[in-house]
Amino acid sequence: MSKPFDLYDITIIGAGPVGLFAAFYAAGMRGMRTKILEALGVTGGQLTVLYPEKYIYDVPGFPKILAKDLAKQLEVQAMAYKPTLILDEKVVDLKRLDGGIWELQTVKGVHFSKTVLITAGHGAFTPRKLGNPSVERFENMGVYYSVTDKWMFKDKKVMIVGGGDSAVDWALNLKDIAAEVILVHRRGEFRAHEGSVIELFHSPVKIMIPYEVKEAYGKDRLEAVKIFNNKTNEEVVLEVDALILQLGHLVDVSLFKGWGLEMEGNAIKVNGRMETNLPGVYAAGDIAHQTDSVKLALLATGFGQAAIAVNVAKNYIDPKASLFPGHSSEKRM
Ligand SMILES: Cc1cc2nc3c(=O)[nH]c(=O)nc-3n(C[C@H](O)[C@H](O)[C@H](O)COP(=O)(O)OP(=O)(O)OC[C@H]3O[C@@H](n4cnc5c(N)ncnc54)[C@H](O)[C@@H]3O)c2cc1C
C-alpha cells in the first residue's frame, strides 16, 4: 500500500505493452515520477496472457518476435528508468481532489497523481467460462483458461475447447509437446486465421466438431471429459490430463464509465492529444478511441498514442516544458 500523498507526476493504469512503453517514455524520456498499477501479477497484458507463444510480425524493427519476448523487452526498457511498478493491484476508482490531484483507489489502497494515463486494454481479463460446475471444480487442477508455461503440458493428453485463433494456435503450439491434443469446437467451422486452420487440418491434432463439453470427471484433479455431438447427441468420454478453455474474454469497461469518462462503445473517448474529458487524464492503446481517427487495436498505434499522451501530460503539469522531448538518440539515457 502506498503512503498517503506520495504524489507522482503520472500514474499509468495497466502494465500491458502500451503502459510499459508509456512508463519508459515518462520516466526515461521526460524524467517524470512514474507509477504503474497493474491488476494482474504479471506485466505484458495480452502479450503475456493471451498469446505468449505467438510470433508478432508487425512491430517496427522486429521482423519476427515472440509475444512473450516483446513483453519482456518492454519491461526491461521501462524498468531501466525505475518507475514504481505495482502488480496485483486493480484500480477500482478515480477521483479528483481539491487542487486537481487525482486519487486512484485500488483493491489495496490509494495512490495520488498529478496526471493519469489509462492503458487498460479491454479492462481486467475475465475469461469466459463454460458455466458447468463439474468443469469449474477442477480449475487449476487440470482445467485452465490460459497457458503461461506450455511445458507443463509436456507428454500430457490435452483437450482444448474453442474455435477462434487462441484455441487453434494453442492446439498447433502444443501438438509437438503434448502426448495428444484434442480440439473440441461446437461449430462445423473455425473462426481462426485461414492459414492456421489449414495447418490444423494437416496436423496430428484430433479435431472433434461439432462437439461440446458435457461433464468433467476426476478425484483430486481432472481425469476425463465427456463431450457430445450437438447434431447427433452421440457422447464420448475421453481420458485427459488437462482441459484448456479458450472461449474468449469478457470485456468489462463499466468501471471506466463510473469514473465519469466519456465512452465510445467499449473504449474511452480521446482527442488527438489523447486527452479524455477529465483534465489531466489520458488514455492510449486498445482502451482508447480517438475521435476523428480510425480505431486500430495494434501495438504500433498504441505505442504512438502512449508517446503523445505522456508528452501532453508533461506539458500539462509543467506548461513551460516542451511538448517535443527531443530524440532519444541525442539524450544521455
Ligand atoms: C491473439 C492476439 C494476437 C494479436 N496479434 C497482434 C499482432 O500481431 N500485432 C499487433 O500489433 N497487435 C496484435 N494483437 C493486439 C495487441 O496485443 C493489443 O493491441 C495490445 O496488447 C494492446 O496493448 P494495451 O497495453 O493497450 O492493452 P493490454 O495488452 O490489454 O494490457 C492492458 C493491461 O491493463 C491491465 N488492466 C486492465 N484494467 C485494469 C485496472 N482497472 N487496474 C489495473 N490494471 C488494469 C490488464 O490486466 C492488462 O495487463 C493481438 C491480440 C491478440 C488477442
Side-chain angles (χ1 to χ4, degrees), residues 33-109:
R33 194 156 182 253
T34 305
K35 183 184 273 181
I36 320 168
L37 295 169
E38 168 56 52
L40 301 176
V42 286
T43 66
Q46 294 173 47
L47 304 186
T48 309
V49 178
L50 298 186
Y51 58 107
E53 301 289 342
K54 277 191 84 152
Y55 280 105
I56 301 173
Y57 301 88
D58 55 354
V59 174
F62 291 98
K64 177 180 173 179
I65 184 165
L66 272 180
K68 66 178 181 187
D69 293 342
L70 179 62
K72 189 75 227 162
Q73 290 301 319
L74 285 161
E75 188 186 299
V76 170
Q77 188 181 31
M79 295 317 289
Y81 300 94
K82 304 198 169 27
T84 302
L85 171 63
I86 301 180
L87 299 176
D88 285 317
E89 221 175 302
K90 180 177 170 178
V91 180
V92 291
D93 202 5
L94 180 67
K95 266 198 229 110
R96 194 157 190 250
L97 306 179
D98 291 345
I101 300 298
W102 287 100
E103 180 190 273
L104 296 102
Q105 173 77 50
T106 72
V107 287
K108 294 187 183 163

Coordinates of all heavy atoms in Angstrom, one line a residue, residues 33-109:
R33 N 8.1 11.5 -12.4 CA 8.0 10.5 -11.4 C 6.8 9.6 -11.8 O 5.6 10.1 -11.8 CB 7.7 11.2 -10.0 CG 7.9 10.3 -8.9 CD 8.3 11.0 -7.6 NE 8.5 10.0 -6.6 CZ 7.7 9.7 -5.6 NH1 6.6 10.4 -5.5 NH2 7.9 8.7 -4.8
T34 N 7.1 8.3 -12.0 CA 6.1 7.5 -12.7 C 5.7 6.3 -11.9 O 6.6 5.6 -11.4 CB 6.7 7.0 -14.1 OG1 7.1 8.2 -14.8 CG2 5.7 6.2 -14.9
K35 N 4.4 6.0 -11.9 CA 4.0 4.8 -11.2 C 3.1 4.0 -12.2 O 2.4 4.6 -13.0 CB 3.2 5.1 -10.0 CG 2.7 4.0 -9.1 CD 1.8 4.4 -8.0 CE 2.6 4.8 -6.8 NZ 1.8 5.2 -5.6
I36 N 3.2 2.6 -12.1 CA 2.3 1.8 -12.9 C 1.5 0.9 -12.0 O 2.1 0.2 -11.1 CB 3.1 0.9 -13.9 CG1 4.3 1.6 -14.5 CG2 2.2 0.3 -15.0 CD1 5.2 0.6 -15.2
L37 N 0.2 0.9 -12.2 CA -0.6 0.0 -11.3 C -1.2 -1.1 -12.3 O -1.8 -0.8 -13.3 CB -1.7 0.8 -10.7 CG -1.3 1.8 -9.7 CD1 -2.5 2.7 -9.3 CD2 -0.7 1.2 -8.4
E38 N -0.9 -2.4 -12.0 CA -1.4 -3.5 -12.8 C -2.2 -4.4 -12.0 O -1.8 -4.9 -10.9 CB -0.2 -4.2 -13.4 CG -0.4 -5.5 -14.1 CD -1.5 -5.5 -15.2 OE1 -1.4 -4.6 -16.1 OE2 -2.5 -6.3 -15.1
A39 N -3.4 -4.8 -12.6 CA -4.3 -5.7 -11.9 C -3.8 -7.1 -11.7 O -4.0 -7.8 -10.7 CB -5.6 -5.7 -12.6
L40 N -3.0 -7.5 -12.7 CA -2.5 -8.9 -12.7 C -1.2 -9.0 -12.0 O -0.6 -8.0 -11.7 CB -2.3 -9.4 -14.1 CG -3.6 -9.4 -15.0 CD1 -3.2 -9.9 -16.4 CD2 -4.6 -10.4 -14.5
G41 N -0.7 -10.3 -11.8 CA 0.6 -10.5 -11.1 C 1.7 -10.5 -12.1 O 2.9 -10.7 -11.8
V42 N 1.4 -10.2 -13.4 CA 2.5 -10.1 -14.4 C 2.3 -8.9 -15.3 O 1.2 -8.4 -15.4 CB 2.4 -11.4 -15.4 CG1 3.0 -12.6 -14.7 CG2 1.0 -11.6 -15.9
T43 N 3.4 -8.5 -16.0 CA 3.3 -7.4 -16.9 C 3.1 -8.0 -18.3 O 3.2 -9.2 -18.5 CB 4.6 -6.5 -17.0 OG1 5.6 -7.4 -17.5 CG2 4.9 -6.0 -15.6
G44 N 2.8 -7.1 -19.3 CA 2.8 -7.6 -20.7 C 1.3 -7.7 -21.3 O 1.2 -7.8 -22.5
G45 N 0.3 -7.6 -20.4 CA -1.1 -7.6 -20.9 C -1.4 -8.8 -21.8 O -1.0 -9.9 -21.5
Q46 N -2.0 -8.5 -22.9 CA -2.4 -9.5 -23.9 C -1.2 -10.4 -24.4 O -1.4 -11.6 -24.6 CB -3.2 -8.9 -25.1 CG -4.5 -8.3 -24.7 CD -5.1 -7.5 -25.8 OE1 -5.2 -8.0 -27.0 NE2 -5.5 -6.3 -25.6
L47 N -0.1 -9.7 -24.5 CA 1.1 -10.5 -25.0 C 1.4 -11.6 -24.1 O 1.8 -12.7 -24.5 CB 2.3 -9.6 -25.1 CG 2.3 -8.3 -25.9 CD1 3.6 -7.6 -25.9 CD2 1.8 -8.5 -27.3
T48 N 1.3 -11.4 -22.8 CA 1.7 -12.4 -21.8 C 0.5 -13.4 -21.5 O 0.7 -14.6 -21.4 CB 2.1 -11.7 -20.5 OG1 3.0 -10.7 -20.8 CG2 2.6 -12.7 -19.5
V49 N -0.7 -12.8 -21.5 CA -1.8 -13.6 -21.0 C -2.5 -14.4 -22.2 O -2.8 -15.5 -22.0 CB -2.8 -12.7 -20.3 CG1 -4.1 -13.5 -19.9 CG2 -2.2 -12.1 -19.1
L50 N -2.6 -13.7 -23.3 CA -3.4 -14.4 -24.4 C -2.6 -15.1 -25.5 O -3.0 -16.1 -26.0 CB -4.2 -13.3 -25.1 CG -5.3 -12.6 -24.2 CD1 -6.2 -11.7 -25.1 CD2 -6.1 -13.6 -23.5
Y51 N -1.3 -14.6 -25.8 CA -0.6 -15.3 -26.9 C 0.9 -15.2 -26.7 O 1.6 -14.8 -27.6 CB -1.1 -14.7 -28.2 CG -0.9 -13.3 -28.5 CD1 0.1 -12.8 -29.3 CD2 -1.7 -12.3 -27.9 CE1 0.3 -11.4 -29.6 CE2 -1.6 -11.0 -28.1 CZ -0.6 -10.5 -29.0 OH -0.4 -9.2 -29.2
P52 N 1.4 -15.7 -25.5 CA 2.8 -15.6 -25.3 C 3.7 -16.3 -26.3 O 4.8 -15.9 -26.6 CB 3.0 -16.2 -23.9 CG 1.8 -17.0 -23.7 CD 0.7 -16.3 -24.4
E53 N 3.2 -17.4 -26.9 CA 4.0 -18.2 -27.8 C 3.8 -17.9 -29.2 O 4.3 -18.6 -30.1 CB 3.7 -19.7 -27.5 CG 3.9 -20.2 -26.1 CD 5.4 -20.3 -25.8 OE1 6.2 -20.3 -26.7 OE2 5.7 -20.3 -24.6
K54 N 3.0 -16.8 -29.5 CA 2.8 -16.5 -30.9 C 3.8 -15.5 -31.4 O 4.3 -14.6 -30.6 CB 1.4 -15.8 -31.1 CG 0.3 -16.8 -31.2 CD -1.0 -16.2 -31.6 CE -1.1 -16.0 -33.1 NZ -2.4 -16.0 -33.7
Y55 N 4.2 -15.6 -32.7 CA 5.1 -14.6 -33.3 C 4.3 -13.4 -33.7 O 3.2 -13.5 -34.2 CB 5.8 -15.2 -34.5 CG 7.0 -16.0 -34.1 CD1 6.9 -17.4 -34.2 CD2 8.2 -15.5 -33.6 CE1 8.0 -18.2 -33.8 CE2 9.2 -16.3 -33.2 CZ 9.1 -17.6 -33.3 OH 10.2 -18.4 -32.9
I56 N 4.9 -12.2 -33.5 CA 4.4 -10.9 -34.0 C 5.3 -10.5 -35.1 O 6.5 -10.5 -35.0 CB 4.3 -9.9 -32.9 CG1 3.5 -10.4 -31.7 CG2 3.8 -8.6 -33.4 CD1 3.5 -9.5 -30.5
Y57 N 4.7 -10.0 -36.2 CA 5.5 -9.6 -37.4 C 5.4 -8.2 -37.7 O 6.1 -7.7 -38.6 CB 5.0 -10.4 -38.6 CG 5.1 -11.9 -38.4 CD1 4.1 -12.7 -37.8 CD2 6.3 -12.6 -38.8 CE1 4.2 -14.0 -37.7 CE2 6.4 -14.0 -38.6 CZ 5.3 -14.7 -38.1 OH 5.4 -16.0 -37.9
D58 N 4.5 -7.4 -37.0 CA 4.3 -6.0 -37.4 C 4.7 -5.0 -36.4 O 4.1 -3.9 -36.3 CB 2.8 -5.8 -37.9 CG 1.8 -6.2 -36.8 OD1 2.2 -6.8 -35.7 OD2 0.6 -6.0 -37.0
V59 N 5.7 -5.3 -35.6 CA 6.3 -4.3 -34.7 C 7.5 -3.8 -35.4 O 8.4 -4.6 -35.7 CB 6.6 -4.9 -33.3 CG1 7.4 -3.9 -32.5 CG2 5.4 -5.4 -32.6
P60 N 7.6 -2.5 -35.6 CA 8.7 -1.9 -36.3 C 10.1 -2.4 -35.7 O 10.3 -2.3 -34.5 CB 8.5 -0.4 -36.2 CG 7.1 -0.2 -35.9 CD 6.6 -1.4 -35.2
G61 N 11.0 -2.8 -36.6 CA 12.3 -3.1 -36.2 C 12.5 -4.6 -35.8 O 13.6 -5.1 -35.6
F62 N 11.3 -5.3 -35.6 CA 11.4 -6.7 -35.3 C 10.7 -7.5 -36.4 O 9.5 -7.5 -36.5 CB 10.7 -7.0 -34.0 CG 11.4 -6.5 -32.8 CD1 11.0 -5.3 -32.2 CD2 12.4 -7.2 -32.2 CE1 11.6 -4.8 -31.1 CE2 13.1 -6.7 -31.1 CZ 12.7 -5.5 -30.5
P63 N 11.4 -8.1 -37.4 CA 10.8 -8.8 -38.4 C 9.9 -9.9 -37.9 O 8.9 -10.3 -38.5 CB 12.0 -9.4 -39.3 CG 13.1 -8.6 -38.9 CD 12.9 -8.1 -37.5
K64 N 10.3 -10.4 -36.7 CA 9.5 -11.5 -36.1 C 9.9 -11.6 -34.6 O 11.1 -11.6 -34.3 CB 10.0 -12.8 -36.8 CG 9.4 -14.1 -36.3 CD 9.9 -15.2 -37.2 CE 9.5 -16.6 -36.6 NZ 10.0 -17.7 -37.4
I65 N 9.0 -11.5 -33.7 CA 9.3 -11.6 -32.3 C 8.2 -12.3 -31.6 O 7.0 -12.1 -31.8 CB 9.7 -10.3 -31.7 CG1 10.1 -10.4 -30.2 CG2 8.5 -9.3 -31.8 CD1 10.8 -9.2 -29.6
L66 N 8.6 -13.2 -30.7 CA 7.6 -13.9 -29.8 C 6.9 -12.9 -28.9 O 7.6 -12.0 -28.3 CB 8.2 -15.0 -29.0 CG 8.4 -16.4 -29.6 CD1 9.1 -17.3 -28.5 CD2 7.1 -17.0 -30.0
A67 N 5.6 -13.0 -28.7 CA 4.9 -12.0 -27.9 C 5.5 -12.0 -26.5 O 5.7 -10.9 -25.9 CB 3.4 -12.4 -27.8
K68 N 5.9 -13.1 -25.9 CA 6.4 -13.1 -24.5 C 7.8 -12.4 -24.5 O 8.2 -11.7 -23.5 CB 6.5 -14.5 -24.0 CG 7.5 -15.4 -24.6 CD 7.5 -16.8 -23.9 CE 8.5 -17.7 -24.6 NZ 8.5 -19.0 -24.1
D69 N 8.6 -12.5 -25.6 CA 9.9 -11.9 -25.7 C 9.7 -10.4 -25.8 O 10.5 -9.6 -25.2 CB 10.7 -12.4 -26.8 CG 11.1 -13.9 -26.6 OD1 11.0 -14.3 -25.4 OD2 11.5 -14.6 -27.5
L70 N 8.7 -9.9 -26.6 CA 8.5 -8.5 -26.7 C 8.0 -7.9 -25.4 O 8.5 -6.9 -25.0 CB 7.4 -8.2 -27.8 CG 7.0 -6.8 -28.0 CD1 8.2 -6.0 -28.5 CD2 5.9 -6.6 -29.0
A71 N 7.2 -8.7 -24.7 CA 6.7 -8.2 -23.4 C 7.9 -8.0 -22.4 O 8.0 -7.0 -21.7 CB 5.7 -9.2 -22.8
K72 N 8.8 -9.0 -22.4 CA 10.0 -8.9 -21.6 C 10.9 -7.7 -21.9 O 11.3 -7.0 -21.0 CB 10.8 -10.2 -21.7 CG 11.9 -10.5 -20.8 CD 11.4 -10.9 -19.4 CE 12.1 -10.0 -18.3 NZ 11.5 -10.0 -17.0
Q73 N 11.1 -7.5 -23.2 CA 11.9 -6.4 -23.6 C 11.3 -5.0 -23.3 O 12.0 -4.1 -22.9 CB 12.1 -6.4 -25.2 CG 13.0 -7.5 -25.7 CD 14.4 -7.5 -25.1 OE1 15.0 -6.4 -24.9 NE2 14.9 -8.6 -24.7
L74 N 9.9 -5.0 -23.4 CA 9.3 -3.7 -23.0 C 9.4 -3.5 -21.5 O 9.6 -2.4 -21.0 CB 7.8 -3.8 -23.3 CG 7.5 -3.6 -24.8 CD1 6.1 -4.2 -25.2 CD2 7.5 -2.2 -25.2
E75 N 9.4 -4.6 -20.7 CA 9.5 -4.4 -19.3 C 10.9 -4.0 -18.9 O 11.1 -3.1 -18.1 CB 9.2 -5.8 -18.5 CG 9.2 -5.6 -17.0 CD 9.0 -6.9 -16.3 OE1 8.0 -7.5 -16.4 OE2 9.9 -7.2 -15.5
V76 N 11.9 -4.6 -19.6 CA 13.3 -4.2 -19.3 C 13.5 -2.7 -19.7 O 14.1 -1.9 -19.0 CB 14.3 -5.1 -20.2 CG1 15.7 -4.6 -20.1 CG2 14.2 -6.5 -19.7
Q77 N 12.9 -2.3 -20.9 CA 13.1 -0.9 -21.3 C 12.5 0.1 -20.3 O 13.0 1.1 -20.0 CB 12.4 -0.8 -22.7 CG 12.6 0.6 -23.4 CD 11.9 0.6 -24.7 OE1 10.9 0.0 -24.9 NE2 12.5 1.4 -25.6
A78 N 11.3 -0.3 -19.8 CA 10.6 0.6 -18.9 C 11.3 0.6 -17.5 O 11.6 1.7 -17.0 CB 9.1 0.1 -18.6
M79 N 11.7 -0.5 -17.0 CA 12.3 -0.6 -15.7 C 13.7 0.0 -15.6 O 14.1 0.3 -14.5 CB 12.2 -2.1 -15.1 CG 10.8 -2.7 -15.0 SD 9.6 -1.5 -14.2 CE 10.2 -1.5 -12.5
A80 N 14.3 0.2 -16.7 CA 15.7 0.8 -16.7 C 15.6 2.2 -16.1 O 16.6 2.7 -15.6 CB 16.2 0.9 -18.1
Y81 N 14.4 2.8 -16.1 CA 14.3 4.2 -15.6 C 13.5 4.2 -14.3 O 13.0 5.3 -13.9 CB 13.7 5.1 -16.7 CG 14.6 5.0 -17.9 CD1 14.3 4.1 -18.9 CD2 15.7 5.8 -17.9 CE1 15.2 4.0 -20.0 CE2 16.6 5.6 -19.0 CZ 16.4 4.7 -20.0 OH 17.3 4.6 -21.0
K82 N 13.5 3.0 -13.7 CA 13.0 2.9 -12.3 C 11.6 3.5 -12.0 O 11.4 4.2 -11.0 CB 14.0 3.4 -11.3 CG 15.4 2.7 -11.5 CD 16.2 2.9 -10.3 CE 17.5 2.0 -10.3 NZ 18.0 1.6 -11.6
P83 N 10.6 3.3 -12.8 CA 9.2 3.7 -12.4 C 8.8 2.8 -11.2 O 9.4 1.7 -11.1 CB 8.4 3.4 -13.6 CG 9.1 2.3 -14.3 CD 10.6 2.5 -14.1
T84 N 7.9 3.2 -10.5 CA 7.3 2.3 -9.4 C 6.3 1.4 -10.1 O 5.3 1.9 -10.7 CB 6.7 3.1 -8.3 OG1 7.6 4.0 -7.8 CG2 6.1 2.2 -7.2
L85 N 6.6 0.1 -10.1 CA 5.7 -0.9 -10.7 C 5.0 -1.7 -9.6 O 5.6 -2.3 -8.8 CB 6.4 -1.9 -11.6 CG 5.7 -3.1 -12.1 CD1 4.5 -2.6 -13.0 CD2 6.6 -4.0 -12.9
I86 N 3.6 -1.6 -9.5 CA 2.9 -2.3 -8.5 C 2.0 -3.3 -9.2 O 1.1 -2.9 -10.0 CB 2.1 -1.3 -7.6 CG1 3.1 -0.4 -7.0 CG2 1.3 -2.1 -6.6 CD1 2.4 0.7 -6.1
L87 N 2.2 -4.6 -8.9 CA 1.4 -5.7 -9.5 C 0.3 -6.1 -8.6 O 0.3 -5.7 -7.4 CB 2.3 -6.9 -9.9 CG 3.4 -6.6 -10.9 CD1 4.3 -7.9 -11.0 CD2 2.9 -6.2 -12.2
D88 N -0.7 -6.8 -9.1 CA -1.8 -7.4 -8.3 C -2.6 -6.2 -7.6 O -3.1 -6.4 -6.5 CB -1.3 -8.3 -7.2 CG -0.9 -9.7 -7.8 OD1 -1.6 -10.2 -8.6 OD2 0.2 -10.2 -7.4
E89 N -2.7 -5.1 -8.3 CA -3.5 -4.0 -7.7 C -4.3 -3.4 -8.7 O -3.9 -2.5 -9.5 CB -2.5 -3.0 -7.0 CG -3.1 -2.6 -5.7 CD -2.2 -1.6 -4.9 OE1 -1.1 -2.0 -4.5 OE2 -2.7 -0.6 -4.6
K90 N -5.6 -3.9 -8.8 CA -6.5 -3.3 -9.8 C -7.0 -2.0 -9.3 O -7.4 -1.8 -8.1 CB -7.7 -4.3 -9.9 CG -8.7 -3.9 -10.9 CD -9.8 -5.0 -11.0 CE -11.0 -4.4 -11.8 NZ -12.0 -5.4 -12.0
V91 N -7.1 -1.0 -10.2 CA -7.6 0.3 -9.9 C -9.2 0.2 -10.0 O -9.7 -0.3 -11.0 CB -7.1 1.4 -10.9 CG1 -7.7 2.7 -10.5 CG2 -5.6 1.4 -10.8
V92 N -9.8 0.6 -9.0 CA -11.3 0.5 -9.0 C -12.0 1.8 -9.0 O -13.2 1.9 -9.3 CB -11.8 -0.4 -7.8 CG1 -11.4 -1.8 -8.0 CG2 -11.3 0.1 -6.5
D93 N -11.3 2.9 -8.7 CA -12.0 4.2 -8.7 C -11.0 5.3 -8.9 O -9.8 5.2 -8.6 CB -12.8 4.4 -7.4 CG -13.9 5.5 -7.5 OD1 -14.1 5.9 -8.7 OD2 -14.5 5.8 -6.5
L94 N -11.5 6.4 -9.5 CA -10.6 7.6 -9.8 C -11.4 8.8 -9.4 O -12.6 9.0 -9.9 CB -10.3 7.6 -11.3 CG -9.5 8.7 -11.8 CD1 -8.1 8.6 -11.3 CD2 -9.5 8.7 -13.4
K95 N -10.8 9.6 -8.5 CA -11.5 10.8 -8.1 C -10.6 12.1 -8.1 O -9.4 11.9 -7.8 CB -11.9 10.6 -6.6 CG -13.2 10.1 -6.4 CD -13.7 10.4 -4.9 CE -14.2 9.1 -4.3 NZ -13.5 8.5 -3.3
R96 N -11.2 13.2 -8.4 CA -10.4 14.4 -8.5 C -10.5 15.1 -7.1 O -11.6 15.4 -6.7 CB -10.9 15.3 -9.6 CG -9.9 16.4 -9.9 CD -10.1 16.9 -11.4 NE -9.1 17.8 -11.8 CZ -9.2 19.1 -11.9 NH1 -10.4 19.7 -11.8 NH2 -8.2 19.9 -12.3
L97 N -9.3 15.4 -6.5 CA -9.4 16.1 -5.2 C -9.2 17.6 -5.4 O -8.8 18.0 -6.5 CB -8.2 15.6 -4.3 CG -8.1 14.1 -4.1 CD1 -6.9 13.7 -3.3 CD2 -9.4 13.5 -3.5
D98 N -9.3 18.4 -4.4 CA -9.1 19.8 -4.4 C -7.7 20.0 -4.9 O -6.7 19.3 -4.5 CB -9.2 20.5 -3.1 CG -10.7 20.4 -2.6 OD1 -11.6 20.2 -3.5 OD2 -10.9 20.6 -1.4
G99 N -7.4 21.0 -5.8 CA -6.1 21.2 -6.3 C -5.8 20.4 -7.5 O -4.7 20.5 -8.0
G100 N -6.8 19.7 -8.0 CA -6.6 18.9 -9.2 C -5.8 17.6 -9.2 O -5.5 17.0 -10.2
I101 N -5.5 17.2 -7.9 CA -4.8 15.9 -7.8 C -5.7 14.8 -8.0 O -6.9 14.8 -7.5 CB -4.2 15.9 -6.3 CG1 -3.2 17.0 -6.1 CG2 -3.5 14.5 -6.1 CD1 -2.0 17.1 -7.0
W102 N -5.2 13.7 -8.6 CA -6.1 12.6 -8.8 C -5.8 11.5 -7.8 O -4.7 11.2 -7.5 CB -5.9 12.0 -10.2 CG -6.4 12.8 -11.3 CD1 -5.8 13.7 -12.1 CD2 -7.8 12.9 -11.6 NE1 -6.7 14.4 -12.9 CE2 -8.0 13.9 -12.6 CE3 -9.0 12.3 -11.2 CZ2 -9.2 14.2 -13.2 CZ3 -10.2 12.6 -11.8 CH2 -10.3 13.6 -12.8
E103 N -6.9 11.0 -7.2 CA -6.8 9.9 -6.2 C -7.2 8.6 -6.9 O -8.4 8.5 -7.4 CB -7.7 10.2 -5.0 CG -7.6 9.1 -3.9 CD -8.6 9.2 -2.9 OE1 -8.4 9.9 -1.9 OE2 -9.7 8.6 -3.0
L104 N -6.3 7.6 -6.9 CA -6.7 6.3 -7.5 C -6.9 5.3 -6.4 O -6.0 5.1 -5.6 CB -5.5 5.8 -8.4 CG -5.2 6.7 -9.7 CD1 -4.0 7.6 -9.4 CD2 -5.0 5.8 -10.9
Q105 N -8.1 4.8 -6.4 CA -8.4 3.8 -5.4 C -8.2 2.4 -6.0 O -8.7 2.2 -7.1 CB -9.9 4.0 -5.0 CG -10.5 2.9 -4.1 CD -10.1 3.1 -2.6 OE1 -10.2 4.2 -2.1 NE2 -9.5 2.1 -2.0
T106 N -7.4 1.6 -5.3 CA -7.2 0.3 -5.8 C -7.9 -0.7 -4.8 O -8.4 -0.3 -3.8 CB -5.7 -0.1 -6.0 OG1 -5.2 -0.2 -4.6 CG2 -5.0 1.0 -6.7
V107 N -7.7 -2.0 -5.1 CA -8.3 -3.0 -4.2 C -7.4 -3.1 -2.9 O -7.9 -3.7 -2.0 CB -8.3 -4.4 -4.9 CG1 -9.4 -4.5 -5.9 CG2 -6.9 -4.8 -5.5
K108 N -6.3 -2.4 -2.9 CA -5.4 -2.5 -1.7 C -5.2 -1.2 -1.0 O -4.7 -1.1 0.1 CB -4.1 -3.1 -2.1 CG -4.2 -4.5 -2.5 CD -2.8 -5.1 -2.8 CE -2.9 -6.6 -3.3 NZ -1.6 -7.0 -3.8
G109 N -5.5 0.0 -1.7 CA -5.2 1.2 -1.1 C -5.4 2.4 -2.0 O -6.1 2.3 -3.0

